[in-house]
Amino acid sequence: MSSQLEMFTPPTEANSEDIAKLPLHTKARAGKGPSAEEMAVRLEASGSYRVLRKLRPRQVADIPRPEFARTGIIVDTETTGLNHRSDEIIEIGAVAFSYDDEGNIGDVIGVYGGLQQPIKPIPPEITRLTGITDEMVAGQVIDVTQLRALIAPADLVVAHNAGFDRPFCEAVSEIFSGKAWACSVSEIDWTARGFEGTKLGYLIGQAGFFHDGHRAVDDCFALLEVLARSGKDWERSAFAELYEASQRSRVRIFAEHSPFDMKDHLKARGYRWSDGSDGRPKSWWIEIDEEMLNDEIRYLRSEIYRWDEADPPVQHLTAFDRFRV
């Protein structure tokens, strides 16, 4: 019992160096016992505890630093469902930040959050997930003028699952259509960074934080914090990796008219089915890095079509084209 209580006694010389490194506000309680942060440090140092700190959103900079000349936008949407053709957006959040050509994040330079009343009532499962009720959105309309002003200067729009968010954002304003997009789920190797999953809640938790999830602006700030972090095993931040990935060209290959009995082979290789309703060819398709194109064509010709002259359709993509429906 005494060894447990000693963790919460005033600091000794043995840990004074660790305490000295703490922010000044944690030392304000000198003479009155350890602060919450000091106790958290001791718990972590014991090796028996892992402490999550509440994520504090970054403040909007009054004077952004000029060395971070590019503008990024993190967007998040809350919707009545998963289908952008039949479901509606009920909340959008956007956090603008500056960054440089190496992918270093600078300052938060703008924030927008807005609710919108859908035509139909919000499904109960969406309210349970997001906390957004019909009463909260009653009479609410997204301020598209304000949103456009924030998005207009953006060099890159980031979403945690851009394939979902981009169509809903484009339905709100065409300003999103002409922007380069990046996906923080698919374009960052989170496993190599030691993360066990790609859901935002996992990323935040493993980064040592917790936050009020499933509200758009809160999720934007949470993602910004994860993207900005680097670590002892990876010098570059996750955003630097994401920014580099957004600069590379990609290709989509459509295995059009592939034999039906080859579908399991294609699926196992990572191909997905398109029923043609979204304007793509009705076929199995895959998206890969451009340098892998020749190898993939050879695979299709030798293993799927069994015909050396097979010429499946290929679509070249940049960040301006990706994640469109």
Side-chain angles (χ1 to χ4, degrees), residues 117-150:
Q117 180 178 358
I119 296 174
K120 299 179 181 179
I122 299 173
E125 61 270 21
I126 299 299
T127 294
R128 285 194 295 269
L129 179 66
T130 66
I132 301 174
T133 65
D134 288 316
E135 290 74 23
M136 291 169 60
V137 300
Q140 298 289 325
V141 178
I142 292 170
D143 188 335
V144 176
T145 300
Q146 187 177 346
L147 183 62
R148 284 176 57 90
L150 188 69

PDB file of all heavy atoms in Angstrom, residues 117-150:
ATOM      1  N   GLN A 117     -30.388  20.871 -41.587  1.00  0.00           N
ATOM      2  CA  GLN A 117     -31.581  20.051 -41.403  1.00  0.00           C
ATOM      3  C   GLN A 117     -31.831  19.237 -42.671  1.00  0.00           C
ATOM      4  O   GLN A 117     -31.959  19.793 -43.763  1.00  0.00           O
ATOM      5  CB  GLN A 117     -32.797  20.932 -41.104  1.00  0.00           C
ATOM      6  CG  GLN A 117     -34.082  20.138 -40.888  1.00  0.00           C
ATOM      7  CD  GLN A 117     -35.268  21.044 -40.553  1.00  0.00           C
ATOM      8  OE1 GLN A 117     -35.127  22.251 -40.455  1.00  0.00           O
ATOM      9  NE2 GLN A 117     -36.439  20.443 -40.367  1.00  0.00           N
ATOM     10  N   PRO A 118     -31.905  17.916 -42.557  1.00  0.00           N
ATOM     11  CA  PRO A 118     -32.202  17.092 -43.736  1.00  0.00           C
ATOM     12  C   PRO A 118     -33.688  17.107 -44.047  1.00  0.00           C
ATOM     13  O   PRO A 118     -34.515  17.535 -43.231  1.00  0.00           O
ATOM     14  CB  PRO A 118     -31.734  15.701 -43.296  1.00  0.00           C
ATOM     15  CG  PRO A 118     -31.960  15.693 -41.812  1.00  0.00           C
ATOM     16  CD  PRO A 118     -31.682  17.111 -41.350  1.00  0.00           C
ATOM     17  N   ILE A 119     -34.020  16.620 -45.221  1.00  0.00           N
ATOM     18  CA  ILE A 119     -35.424  16.555 -45.617  1.00  0.00           C
ATOM     19  C   ILE A 119     -36.172  15.541 -44.753  1.00  0.00           C
ATOM     20  O   ILE A 119     -37.289  15.791 -44.305  1.00  0.00           O
ATOM     21  CB  ILE A 119     -35.542  16.189 -47.107  1.00  0.00           C
ATOM     22  CG1 ILE A 119     -34.919  17.290 -47.972  1.00  0.00           C
ATOM     23  CG2 ILE A 119     -37.002  15.964 -47.497  1.00  0.00           C
ATOM     24  CD1 ILE A 119     -34.854  16.944 -49.447  1.00  0.00           C
ATOM     25  N   LYS A 120     -35.539  14.389 -44.501  1.00  0.00           N
ATOM     26  CA  LYS A 120     -36.158  13.337 -43.702  1.00  0.00           C
ATOM     27  C   LYS A 120     -35.592  13.359 -42.283  1.00  0.00           C
ATOM     28  O   LYS A 120     -34.497  13.867 -42.052  1.00  0.00           O
ATOM     29  CB  LYS A 120     -35.895  11.973 -44.345  1.00  0.00           C
ATOM     30  CG  LYS A 120     -36.467  11.817 -45.746  1.00  0.00           C
ATOM     31  CD  LYS A 120     -36.131  10.443 -46.316  1.00  0.00           C
ATOM     32  CE  LYS A 120     -36.675  10.284 -47.730  1.00  0.00           C
ATOM     33  NZ  LYS A 120     -36.309   8.947 -48.288  1.00  0.00           N
ATOM     34  N   PRO A 121     -36.314  12.811 -41.325  1.00  0.00           N
ATOM     35  CA  PRO A 121     -35.794  12.730 -39.957  1.00  0.00           C
ATOM     36  C   PRO A 121     -34.481  11.947 -39.898  1.00  0.00           C
ATOM     37  O   PRO A 121     -34.240  11.045 -40.697  1.00  0.00           O
ATOM     38  CB  PRO A 121     -36.911  12.007 -39.189  1.00  0.00           C
ATOM     39  CG  PRO A 121     -38.146  12.251 -39.997  1.00  0.00           C
ATOM     40  CD  PRO A 121     -37.701  12.293 -41.428  1.00  0.00           C
ATOM     41  N   ILE A 122     -33.632  12.315 -38.944  1.00  0.00           N
ATOM     42  CA  ILE A 122     -32.362  11.618 -38.769  1.00  0.00           C
ATOM     43  C   ILE A 122     -32.644  10.219 -38.217  1.00  0.00           C
ATOM     44  O   ILE A 122     -33.348  10.075 -37.220  1.00  0.00           O
ATOM     45  CB  ILE A 122     -31.451  12.391 -37.805  1.00  0.00           C
ATOM     46  CG1 ILE A 122     -31.136  13.779 -38.374  1.00  0.00           C
ATOM     47  CG2 ILE A 122     -30.165  11.622 -37.534  1.00  0.00           C
ATOM     48  CD1 ILE A 122     -30.371  14.668 -37.411  1.00  0.00           C
ATOM     49  N   PRO A 123     -32.104   9.170 -38.844  1.00  0.00           N
ATOM     50  CA  PRO A 123     -32.323   7.809 -38.327  1.00  0.00           C
ATOM     51  C   PRO A 123     -31.793   7.667 -36.904  1.00  0.00           C
ATOM     52  O   PRO A 123     -30.771   8.264 -36.550  1.00  0.00           O
ATOM     53  CB  PRO A 123     -31.530   6.932 -39.310  1.00  0.00           C
ATOM     54  CG  PRO A 123     -31.447   7.747 -40.565  1.00  0.00           C
ATOM     55  CD  PRO A 123     -31.344   9.172 -40.108  1.00  0.00           C
ATOM     56  N   PRO A 124     -32.475   6.881 -36.072  1.00  0.00           N
ATOM     57  CA  PRO A 124     -32.054   6.712 -34.671  1.00  0.00           C
ATOM     58  C   PRO A 124     -30.620   6.242 -34.521  1.00  0.00           C
ATOM     59  O   PRO A 124     -29.908   6.673 -33.611  1.00  0.00           O
ATOM     60  CB  PRO A 124     -33.044   5.676 -34.124  1.00  0.00           C
ATOM     61  CG  PRO A 124     -34.248   5.805 -35.005  1.00  0.00           C
ATOM     62  CD  PRO A 124     -33.730   6.158 -36.367  1.00  0.00           C
ATOM     63  N   GLU A 125     -30.170   5.361 -35.438  1.00  0.00           N
ATOM     64  CA  GLU A 125     -28.803   4.851 -35.315  1.00  0.00           C
ATOM     65  C   GLU A 125     -27.768   5.941 -35.573  1.00  0.00           C
ATOM     66  O   GLU A 125     -26.669   5.917 -35.017  1.00  0.00           O
ATOM     67  CB  GLU A 125     -28.572   3.664 -36.258  1.00  0.00           C
ATOM     68  CG  GLU A 125     -28.740   3.953 -37.735  1.00  0.00           C
ATOM     69  CD  GLU A 125     -30.150   3.741 -38.235  1.00  0.00           C
ATOM     70  OE1 GLU A 125     -31.093   3.758 -37.411  1.00  0.00           O
ATOM     71  OE2 GLU A 125     -30.309   3.565 -39.456  1.00  0.00           O
ATOM     72  N   ILE A 126     -28.113   6.921 -36.412  1.00  0.00           N
ATOM     73  CA  ILE A 126     -27.203   8.042 -36.664  1.00  0.00           C
ATOM     74  C   ILE A 126     -27.149   8.962 -35.444  1.00  0.00           C
ATOM     75  O   ILE A 126     -26.079   9.455 -35.066  1.00  0.00           O
ATOM     76  CB  ILE A 126     -27.636   8.824 -37.918  1.00  0.00           C
ATOM     77  CG1 ILE A 126     -27.603   7.918 -39.154  1.00  0.00           C
ATOM     78  CG2 ILE A 126     -26.755  10.046 -38.120  1.00  0.00           C
ATOM     79  CD1 ILE A 126     -26.225   7.353 -39.476  1.00  0.00           C
ATOM     80  N   THR A 127     -28.278   9.170 -34.819  1.00  0.00           N
ATOM     81  CA  THR A 127     -28.296   9.973 -33.585  1.00  0.00           C
ATOM     82  C   THR A 127     -27.477   9.296 -32.498  1.00  0.00           C
ATOM     83  O   THR A 127     -26.725   9.953 -31.765  1.00  0.00           O
ATOM     84  CB  THR A 127     -29.738  10.195 -33.109  1.00  0.00           C
ATOM     85  OG1 THR A 127     -30.424  10.998 -34.073  1.00  0.00           O
ATOM     86  CG2 THR A 127     -29.766  10.907 -31.767  1.00  0.00           C
ATOM     87  N   ARG A 128     -27.598   7.967 -32.387  1.00  0.00           N
ATOM     88  CA  ARG A 128     -26.808   7.249 -31.381  1.00  0.00           C
ATOM     89  C   ARG A 128     -25.320   7.382 -31.658  1.00  0.00           C
ATOM     90  O   ARG A 128     -24.508   7.503 -30.737  1.00  0.00           O
ATOM     91  CB  ARG A 128     -27.209   5.768 -31.347  1.00  0.00           C
ATOM     92  CG  ARG A 128     -28.547   5.502 -30.670  1.00  0.00           C
ATOM     93  CD  ARG A 128     -28.711   4.016 -30.365  1.00  0.00           C
ATOM     94  NE  ARG A 128     -28.773   3.222 -31.587  1.00  0.00           N
ATOM     95  CZ  ARG A 128     -29.899   2.929 -32.212  1.00  0.00           C
ATOM     96  NH1 ARG A 128     -31.064   3.370 -31.745  1.00  0.00           N
ATOM     97  NH2 ARG A 128     -29.882   2.196 -33.310  1.00  0.00           N
ATOM     98  N   LEU A 129     -24.950   7.357 -32.933  1.00  0.00           N
ATOM     99  CA  LEU A 129     -23.530   7.420 -33.310  1.00  0.00           C
ATOM    100  C   LEU A 129     -22.953   8.812 -33.148  1.00  0.00           C
ATOM    101  O   LEU A 129     -21.842   8.988 -32.638  1.00  0.00           O
ATOM    102  CB  LEU A 129     -23.370   6.957 -34.770  1.00  0.00           C
ATOM    103  CG  LEU A 129     -21.954   6.981 -35.341  1.00  0.00           C
ATOM    104  CD1 LEU A 129     -21.077   5.952 -34.626  1.00  0.00           C
ATOM    105  CD2 LEU A 129     -21.986   6.711 -36.845  1.00  0.00           C
ATOM    106  N   THR A 130     -23.694   9.827 -33.569  1.00  0.00           N
ATOM    107  CA  THR A 130     -23.159  11.189 -33.630  1.00  0.00           C
ATOM    108  C   THR A 130     -23.618  12.089 -32.493  1.00  0.00           C
ATOM    109  O   THR A 130     -22.984  13.112 -32.228  1.00  0.00           O
ATOM    110  CB  THR A 130     -23.561  11.857 -34.954  1.00  0.00           C
ATOM    111  OG1 THR A 130     -24.991  12.038 -34.987  1.00  0.00           O
ATOM    112  CG2 THR A 130     -23.130  11.013 -36.149  1.00  0.00           C
ATOM    113  N   GLY A 131     -24.741  11.751 -31.888  1.00  0.00           N
ATOM    114  CA  GLY A 131     -25.317  12.644 -30.889  1.00  0.00           C
ATOM    115  C   GLY A 131     -26.125  13.773 -31.494  1.00  0.00           C
ATOM    116  O   GLY A 131     -26.664  14.626 -30.769  1.00  0.00           O
ATOM    117  N   ILE A 132     -26.252  13.804 -32.809  1.00  0.00           N
ATOM    118  CA  ILE A 132     -27.000  14.866 -33.484  1.00  0.00           C
ATOM    119  C   ILE A 132     -28.470  14.481 -33.574  1.00  0.00           C
ATOM    120  O   ILE A 132     -28.815  13.424 -34.103  1.00  0.00           O
ATOM    121  CB  ILE A 132     -26.428  15.130 -34.897  1.00  0.00           C
ATOM    122  CG1 ILE A 132     -24.958  15.540 -34.808  1.00  0.00           C
ATOM    123  CG2 ILE A 132     -27.231  16.218 -35.605  1.00  0.00           C
ATOM    124  CD1 ILE A 132     -24.277  15.671 -36.158  1.00  0.00           C
ATOM    125  N   THR A 133     -29.342  15.327 -33.060  1.00  0.00           N
ATOM    126  CA  THR A 133     -30.774  15.056 -33.037  1.00  0.00           C
ATOM    127  C   THR A 133     -31.509  15.950 -34.034  1.00  0.00           C
ATOM    128  O   THR A 133     -30.959  16.951 -34.523  1.00  0.00           O
ATOM    129  CB  THR A 133     -31.347  15.312 -31.637  1.00  0.00           C
ATOM    130  OG1 THR A 133     -31.226  16.718 -31.340  1.00  0.00           O
ATOM    131  CG2 THR A 133     -30.598  14.507 -30.587  1.00  0.00           C
ATOM    132  N   ASP A 134     -32.752  15.604 -34.301  1.00  0.00           N
ATOM    133  CA  ASP A 134     -33.579  16.434 -35.174  1.00  0.00           C
ATOM    134  C   ASP A 134     -33.769  17.830 -34.587  1.00  0.00           C
ATOM    135  O   ASP A 134     -33.837  18.821 -35.328  1.00  0.00           O
ATOM    136  CB  ASP A 134     -34.947  15.773 -35.394  1.00  0.00           C
ATOM    137  CG  ASP A 134     -34.872  14.545 -36.280  1.00  0.00           C
ATOM    138  OD1 ASP A 134     -34.179  14.601 -37.311  1.00  0.00           O
ATOM    139  OD2 ASP A 134     -35.494  13.533 -35.937  1.00  0.00           O
ATOM    140  N   GLU A 135     -33.828  17.922 -33.265  1.00  0.00           N
ATOM    141  CA  GLU A 135     -33.993  19.234 -32.620  1.00  0.00           C
ATOM    142  C   GLU A 135     -32.756  20.106 -32.846  1.00  0.00           C
ATOM    143  O   GLU A 135     -32.865  21.318 -33.041  1.00  0.00           O
ATOM    144  CB  GLU A 135     -34.233  19.039 -31.120  1.00  0.00           C
ATOM    145  CG  GLU A 135     -35.582  18.430 -30.756  1.00  0.00           C
ATOM    146  CD  GLU A 135     -35.666  16.938 -31.073  1.00  0.00           C
ATOM    147  OE1 GLU A 135     -34.598  16.282 -31.155  1.00  0.00           O
ATOM    148  OE2 GLU A 135     -36.804  16.434 -31.240  1.00  0.00           O
ATOM    149  N   MET A 136     -31.590  19.508 -32.846  1.00  0.00           N
ATOM    150  CA  MET A 136     -30.348  20.268 -33.034  1.00  0.00           C
ATOM    151  C   MET A 136     -30.243  20.864 -34.433  1.00  0.00           C
ATOM    152  O   MET A 136     -29.705  21.961 -34.618  1.00  0.00           O
ATOM    153  CB  MET A 136     -29.132  19.377 -32.761  1.00  0.00           C
ATOM    154  CG  MET A 136     -28.957  18.986 -31.305  1.00  0.00           C
ATOM    155  SD  MET A 136     -27.702  17.701 -31.096  1.00  0.00           S
ATOM    156  CE  MET A 136     -26.252  18.535 -31.767  1.00  0.00           C
ATOM    157  N   VAL A 137     -30.748  20.155 -35.437  1.00  0.00           N
ATOM    158  CA  VAL A 137     -30.596  20.616 -36.819  1.00  0.00           C
ATOM    159  C   VAL A 137     -31.809  21.386 -37.318  1.00  0.00           C
ATOM    160  O   VAL A 137     -31.789  21.900 -38.451  1.00  0.00           O
ATOM    161  CB  VAL A 137     -30.298  19.434 -37.776  1.00  0.00           C
ATOM    162  CG1 VAL A 137     -29.014  18.736 -37.389  1.00  0.00           C
ATOM    163  CG2 VAL A 137     -31.470  18.450 -37.789  1.00  0.00           C
ATOM    164  N   ALA A 138     -32.853  21.478 -36.512  1.00  0.00           N
ATOM    165  CA  ALA A 138     -34.074  22.160 -36.960  1.00  0.00           C
ATOM    166  C   ALA A 138     -33.777  23.602 -37.377  1.00  0.00           C
ATOM    167  O   ALA A 138     -33.247  24.395 -36.597  1.00  0.00           O
ATOM    168  CB  ALA A 138     -35.110  22.148 -35.836  1.00  0.00           C
ATOM    169  N   GLY A 139     -34.089  23.908 -38.630  1.00  0.00           N
ATOM    170  CA  GLY A 139     -33.877  25.251 -39.150  1.00  0.00           C
ATOM    171  C   GLY A 139     -32.437  25.593 -39.496  1.00  0.00           C
ATOM    172  O   GLY A 139     -32.158  26.716 -39.935  1.00  0.00           O
ATOM    173  N   GLN A 140     -31.519  24.651 -39.339  1.00  0.00           N
ATOM    174  CA  GLN A 140     -30.100  24.911 -39.588  1.00  0.00           C
ATOM    175  C   GLN A 140     -29.764  24.717 -41.070  1.00  0.00           C
ATOM    176  O   GLN A 140     -30.248  23.793 -41.718  1.00  0.00           O
ATOM    177  CB  GLN A 140     -29.226  23.979 -38.748  1.00  0.00           C
ATOM    178  CG  GLN A 140     -29.383  24.148 -37.248  1.00  0.00           C
ATOM    179  CD  GLN A 140     -28.771  25.452 -36.763  1.00  0.00           C
ATOM    180  OE1 GLN A 140     -27.753  25.914 -37.277  1.00  0.00           O
ATOM    181  NE2 GLN A 140     -29.396  26.060 -35.764  1.00  0.00           N
ATOM    182  N   VAL A 141     -28.904  25.581 -41.586  1.00  0.00           N
ATOM    183  CA  VAL A 141     -28.440  25.496 -42.971  1.00  0.00           C
ATOM    184  C   VAL A 141     -26.941  25.790 -42.983  1.00  0.00           C
ATOM    185  O   VAL A 141     -26.482  26.737 -42.331  1.00  0.00           O
ATOM    186  CB  VAL A 141     -29.167  26.507 -43.888  1.00  0.00           C
ATOM    187  CG1 VAL A 141     -28.621  26.415 -45.308  1.00  0.00           C
ATOM    188  CG2 VAL A 141     -30.670  26.258 -43.871  1.00  0.00           C
ATOM    189  N   ILE A 142     -26.184  24.982 -43.691  1.00  0.00           N
ATOM    190  CA  ILE A 142     -24.747  25.217 -43.815  1.00  0.00           C
ATOM    191  C   ILE A 142     -24.510  26.536 -44.527  1.00  0.00           C
ATOM    192  O   ILE A 142     -25.122  26.824 -45.566  1.00  0.00           O
ATOM    193  CB  ILE A 142     -24.078  24.057 -44.578  1.00  0.00           C
ATOM    194  CG1 ILE A 142     -24.131  22.774 -43.731  1.00  0.00           C
ATOM    195  CG2 ILE A 142     -22.636  24.394 -44.954  1.00  0.00           C
ATOM    196  CD1 ILE A 142     -23.725  21.527 -44.481  1.00  0.00           C
ATOM    197  N   ASP A 143     -23.626  27.352 -43.982  1.00  0.00           N
ATOM    198  CA  ASP A 143     -23.288  28.647 -44.573  1.00  0.00           C
ATOM    199  C   ASP A 143     -22.273  28.411 -45.690  1.00  0.00           C
ATOM    200  O   ASP A 143     -21.057  28.396 -45.472  1.00  0.00           O
ATOM    201  CB  ASP A 143     -22.706  29.576 -43.510  1.00  0.00           C
ATOM    202  CG  ASP A 143     -22.515  31.001 -44.021  1.00  0.00           C
ATOM    203  OD1 ASP A 143     -22.363  31.182 -45.243  1.00  0.00           O
ATOM    204  OD2 ASP A 143     -22.477  31.936 -43.186  1.00  0.00           O
ATOM    205  N   VAL A 144     -22.783  28.198 -46.891  1.00  0.00           N
ATOM    206  CA  VAL A 144     -21.930  27.840 -48.019  1.00  0.00           C
ATOM    207  C   VAL A 144     -20.965  28.973 -48.360  1.00  0.00           C
ATOM    208  O   VAL A 144     -19.811  28.727 -48.740  1.00  0.00           O
ATOM    209  CB  VAL A 144     -22.787  27.466 -49.247  1.00  0.00           C
ATOM    210  CG1 VAL A 144     -21.904  27.183 -50.460  1.00  0.00           C
ATOM    211  CG2 VAL A 144     -23.653  26.246 -48.929  1.00  0.00           C
ATOM    212  N   THR A 145     -21.379  30.219 -48.198  1.00  0.00           N
ATOM    213  CA  THR A 145     -20.491  31.347 -48.484  1.00  0.00           C
ATOM    214  C   THR A 145     -19.274  31.336 -47.572  1.00  0.00           C
ATOM    215  O   THR A 145     -18.130  31.494 -48.028  1.00  0.00           O
ATOM    216  CB  THR A 145     -21.247  32.679 -48.327  1.00  0.00           C
ATOM    217  OG1 THR A 145     -22.352  32.695 -49.236  1.00  0.00           O
ATOM    218  CG2 THR A 145     -20.329  33.857 -48.626  1.00  0.00           C
ATOM    219  N   GLN A 146     -19.502  31.118 -46.302  1.00  0.00           N
ATOM    220  CA  GLN A 146     -18.399  31.059 -45.353  1.00  0.00           C
ATOM    221  C   GLN A 146     -17.518  29.841 -45.607  1.00  0.00           C
ATOM    222  O   GLN A 146     -16.281  29.920 -45.526  1.00  0.00           O
ATOM    223  CB  GLN A 146     -18.944  31.025 -43.922  1.00  0.00           C
ATOM    224  CG  GLN A 146     -17.873  31.132 -42.853  1.00  0.00           C
ATOM    225  CD  GLN A 146     -18.463  31.169 -41.447  1.00  0.00           C
ATOM    226  OE1 GLN A 146     -19.664  31.364 -41.271  1.00  0.00           O
ATOM    227  NE2 GLN A 146     -17.611  30.969 -40.444  1.00  0.00           N
ATOM    228  N   LEU A 147     -18.147  28.736 -45.917  1.00  0.00           N
ATOM    229  CA  LEU A 147     -17.389  27.517 -46.197  1.00  0.00           C
ATOM    230  C   LEU A 147     -16.526  27.679 -47.439  1.00  0.00           C
ATOM    231  O   LEU A 147     -15.345  27.304 -47.452  1.00  0.00           O
ATOM    232  CB  LEU A 147     -18.354  26.344 -46.371  1.00  0.00           C
ATOM    233  CG  LEU A 147     -17.732  24.966 -46.608  1.00  0.00           C
ATOM    234  CD1 LEU A 147     -16.871  24.545 -45.431  1.00  0.00           C
ATOM    235  CD2 LEU A 147     -18.837  23.931 -46.857  1.00  0.00           C
ATOM    236  N   ARG A 148     -17.085  28.258 -48.483  1.00  0.00           N
ATOM    237  CA  ARG A 148     -16.327  28.477 -49.723  1.00  0.00           C
ATOM    238  C   ARG A 148     -15.118  29.373 -49.471  1.00  0.00           C
ATOM    239  O   ARG A 148     -14.031  29.134 -50.023  1.00  0.00           O
ATOM    240  CB  ARG A 148     -17.220  29.114 -50.788  1.00  0.00           C
ATOM    241  CG  ARG A 148     -18.204  28.160 -51.438  1.00  0.00           C
ATOM    242  CD  ARG A 148     -19.103  28.924 -52.414  1.00  0.00           C
ATOM    243  NE  ARG A 148     -18.311  29.617 -53.416  1.00  0.00           N
ATOM    244  CZ  ARG A 148     -17.956  29.097 -54.586  1.00  0.00           C
ATOM    245  NH1 ARG A 148     -18.344  27.872 -54.902  1.00  0.00           N
ATOM    246  NH2 ARG A 148     -17.239  29.792 -55.445  1.00  0.00           N
ATOM    247  N   ALA A 149     -15.276  30.389 -48.657  1.00  0.00           N
ATOM    248  CA  ALA A 149     -14.165  31.298 -48.379  1.00  0.00           C
ATOM    249  C   ALA A 149     -13.015  30.568 -47.691  1.00  0.00           C
ATOM    250  O   ALA A 149     -11.837  30.889 -47.920  1.00  0.00           O
ATOM    251  CB  ALA A 149     -14.649  32.460 -47.507  1.00  0.00           C
ATOM    252  N   LEU A 150     -13.342  29.594 -46.862  1.00  0.00           N
ATOM    253  CA  LEU A 150     -12.303  28.822 -46.182  1.00  0.00           C
ATOM    254  C   LEU A 150     -11.623  27.840 -47.127  1.00  0.00           C
ATOM    255  O   LEU A 150     -10.406  27.650 -47.080  1.00  0.00           O
ATOM    256  CB  LEU A 150     -12.916  28.065 -45.002  1.00  0.00           C
ATOM    257  CG  LEU A 150     -11.950  27.344 -44.063  1.00  0.00           C
ATOM    258  CD1 LEU A 150     -11.118  28.339 -43.271  1.00  0.00           C
ATOM    259  CD2 LEU A 150     -12.707  26.415 -43.120  1.00  0.00           C
TER     260      LEU A 150
END
